[in-house]
Amino acid sequence: MRNMKKVLVVGLALIGSLVVGSTGAQARNPEFALPEKVEVKHKACQEILRLAAKYQVEGLFSKEFEEGQVCYTRTDLAVVLELLTEKLAEKVVKEGSAAVAKEDLVLLAELQDELRGEMLLARTRTFQQRREGLGTRLTAITKNISLSGGLVGVLQGSIGNEPSDHVDVVGRGDLVFSFKVGENTIAVIDVEATGGDGIDTRVPSFSLLNAVAGSTGDTVRFREAWVEHAVFDERLILTAGKIDLTNYFDANGVANDENSQFLAGAFVNSAVLGAPGNGPGARLQAKLGESLTFGLGYGSGDTDTEDVFSHGYGIAELGYTLKVGELEGNYRVYGSLDGARADGEVKLQEKNAFGFGISADQQVTDKLTLFVRYGQRDEDVYATKMAWSAGGQYAGLFPERKDDVLGFAYGQVKAVGADSQEKLAELYYKVQVNEQISIAPVVQYLINPLGDSSRDDVVALGLRSLISF
């Protein structure tokens, strides 16, 4: 999958320093003033096309836009400009600062300045994630409000789990509203509707076979609602509100999204991460160097309480991006402190408990990306104490289907007092029907459910569809 969550930290930092050094503080260029609906003949678009031709960057605009049949919004242009900036950053990394002309850097800075608010939105991790997993683009509603969304459905049944073998259907829809509050501030609201509990109610496991499913039947809720502010040229980013800590910690390029990647929860995040459900919290990310980031996160461990500081969950993570030629790798290590109440199932004792883990993804070729995860936590407190998983994805298995993705993963979860480790393997093949629709058959094989070797192994067969807009 072409992961838009990845940021070319090295090249972007070089380009940023070159632009600052050559332009300094400057007023916006009136020639680049952009309306909400922009035609290809606009000077800003023509300059972007010129830069793309000069530096051999393809695929920035759609054919319909270049032919004058459709217009782009300011947000669409911000996404195009972000992609162009990444491509020029790659060129700078490979060939040095002289590879991009100084006057072109000045032009790039002027374009970015005109779209400053939209650029912040385009670079936001949640926007990047939703753009891939839920919406192919943000649709402008007003000057400061945009909308994206998606519908995902899963048909899944089990074999070998008699007499509880059953076929279940799960559906989920998201509408993501993004508000530009200021030049460096955005707000996001994610409204989610979920129907169906999935087969996990009949096939108990630590790995969670269907991470799309809800836990309380049909629900409609504000899944997320937060404000994000960036300072120091986006080297420091603060997000606060109702957040999902797994959006920012224990991330992975190919194993982090149940809508478009692996379906099992154990391959979306570590089975022993222990992060609380969506609730009041905050996260702070600091860019420490060209390829090094540090993040701090806090969430209320008891999302039902009015006191957000009661029974909290804290996490710190160090991330490093390594790029060798065209191949990128992302490596993360984290530590957590969980003060949530004991629930008698996952957390058995009410005490502060420590955990740590790693998550890494590495491109091996332009088509193959591998991943690995490992996590461990206090065995005196939890029902499960260790989990690991590994696998990868291969894009374009068939030459005529370059946008299709094959995913494969295997993992184990170790429970306290169990006579064996629970094991899970998953294989999916995502068929990209068009830009907005994908269909993926999914096969899972569960061995020793709940770490009990006396239980029968289970095969789960599923079909997942995703429509994004």
Side-chain angles (χ1 to χ4, degrees):
M1 184 183 72
R2 292 156 179 78
N3 194 340
M4 293 190 65
K5 289 181 279 189
K6 298 178 179 178
V7 180
L8 301 173
V9 180
V10 177
L12 292 176
L14 287 173
I15 283 216
S17 63
L18 290 170
V19 169
V20 171
S22 58
T23 64
Q26 59 183 17
R28 294 186 177 182
N29 188 334
E31 290 186 297
F32 294 150
L34 290 164
E36 285 306 306
K37 296 290 185 180
V38 188
E39 297 180 349
V40 69
K41 63 183 179 182
H42 193 283
K43 182 174 177 58
C45 298
Q46 291 299 311
E47 289 294 341
I48 292 174
L49 286 169
R50 183 185 66 80
L51 290 177
K54 180 177 180 179
Y55 296 104
Q56 299 180 331
V57 179
E58 299 179 351
L60 291 179
F61 293 113
S62 69
K63 181 179 179 181
E64 292 78 9
F65 178 76
E66 292 184 355
E67 293 177 351
Q69 299 177 16
V70 298
C71 295
Y72 268 23
T73 66
R74 288 173 57 93
T75 304
D76 290 332
L77 285 181
V79 174
V80 169
L81 194 57
E82 176 70 2
L83 179 58
L84 176 61
T85 303
E86 289 183 359
K87 295 299 183 183
L88 295 184
E90 291 180 3
K91 193 173 184 66
V92 168
V93 170
K94 290 180 183 178
E95 304 174 21
S97 59
V100 179
K102 182 178 179 180
E103 59 270 21
D104 292 335
L105 291 175
V106 174
L107 174 62
L108 194 65
E110 291 176 346
L111 291 169
Q112 290 176 337
D113 193 52
E114 168 62 26
L115 293 168
R116 183 179 299 172
E118 289 82 2
M119 291 294 292
L120 176 64
L121 180 61
R123 291 167 178 164
T124 301
R125 186 196 183 283
T126 295
F127 165 66
Q128 293 167 351
Q129 180 183 15
R130 292 300 180 189
R131 189 173 188 272
E132 288 185 290
L134 289 176
T136 56
R137 61 178 60 85
L138 284 180
T139 300
I141 301 176
T142 69
K143 180 178 179 180
N144 296 315
I145 304 175
S146 298
L147 171 69
S148 67
L151 300 170
V152 60
V154 179
L155 174 69
Q156 191 177 31
S158 61
I159 302 173
N161 190 45
E162 297 180 356
S164 299
D165 283 334
H166 195 79
V167 176
D168 289 86
V169 178
V170 173
R172 187 166 79 186
D174 285 78
L175 289 177
V176 183
F177 297 87
S178 301
F179 305 83
K180 186 174 68 172
V181 181
E183 292 294 336
N184 298 302
T185 306
I186 64 169
V188 171
I189 296 176
D190 181 353
V191 182
E192 176 189 75
T194 304
D197 293 329
I199 68 171
D200 289 288
T201 57
R202 296 179 174 86
V203 186
S205 70
F206 296 127
S207 299
L208 189 64
L209 298 181
N210 189 344
V212 172
S215 58
T216 57
D218 297 341
T219 60
V220 178
R221 61 169 182 160
F222 285 100
R223 184 177 184 274
E224 296 180 42
W226 46 261
V227 175
E228 183 168 281
H229 183 69
V231 295
F232 306 127
D233 196 23
E234 299 183 32
R235 290 186 171 274
L236 192 65
I237 300 175
L238 174 65
T239 309
K242 184 178 183 180
I243 65 173
D244 179 357
L245 286 175
T246 63
N247 277 348
Y248 314 102
F249 301 93
D250 189 40
N252 198 282
V254 298
N256 204 208
D257 183 9
E258 65 275 16
N259 295 328
S260 61
Q261 298 172 339
F262 295 101
L263 183 60
F267 302 137
V268 176
N269 290 107
S270 172
V272 295
L273 176 63
N278 294 14
R283 72 104 188 195
L284 183 69
Q285 177 180 291
K287 185 184 294 185
L288 303 181
E290 294 177 347
S291 56
L292 190 65
T293 59
F294 177 72
L296 286 172
Y298 174 86
S300 177
D302 183 359
T303 56
D304 295 327
T305 183
E306 295 181 357
D307 184 1
V308 299
F309 297 106
S310 295
H311 310 285
Y313 177 93
I315 186 169
E317 181 179 274
L318 192 65
Y320 181 74
T321 299
L322 174 66
K323 191 170 180 66
V324 180
E326 295 292 328
L327 305 178
E328 182 176 302
N330 296 279
Y331 301 85
R332 314 158 190 87
V333 57
Y334 65 83
S336 63
L337 177 62
D338 181 12
R341 288 191 174 99
D343 59 10
E345 295 181 3
V346 177
K347 191 173 185 181
L348 307 180
Q349 295 188 41
E350 189 164 326
K351 61 179 289 189
N352 292 336
F354 294 92
F356 72 91
I358 62 171
S359 177
D361 56 88
Q362 175 66 57
Q363 287 182 292
V364 180
T365 70
D366 61 339
K367 294 184 177 182
L368 177 63
T369 302
L370 301 179
F371 84 91
V372 64
R373 265 199 183 96
Y374 177 85
Q376 188 170 328
R377 58 186 179 182
D378 194 338
E379 64 180 78
D380 296 328
V381 178
Y382 299 96
T384 55
K385 60 180 180 179
M386 184 274 291
W388 68 269
S389 59
Q393 72 169 32
Y394 192 91
L397 180 63
F398 304 106
E400 66 277 10
R401 302 293 308 174
K402 60 183 180 64
D403 293 327
D404 291 356
V405 174
L406 172 69
F408 49 92
Y410 175 82
Q412 297 184 359
V413 181
K414 188 172 184 179
V416 177
D419 64 355
S420 63
Q421 295 191 35
E422 178 180 284
K423 306 174 181 68
L424 177 66
E426 179 172 325
L427 181 72
Y428 74 86
Y429 185 84
K430 185 175 71 171
V431 179
Q432 197 67 42
V433 179
N434 57 36
E435 184 181 3
Q436 294 176 283
I437 300 175
S438 66
I439 299 174
V442 181
V443 180
Q444 297 168 326
Y445 185 41
L446 179 66
I447 304 172
N448 301 333
L450 299 178
D452 186 352
S453 60
S454 67
R455 289 176 175 262
D456 292 334
D457 298 343
V458 178
V459 175
L461 304 177
L463 185 65
R464 177 183 59 198
S465 64
L466 174 64
I467 302 174
S468 54
F469 55 88

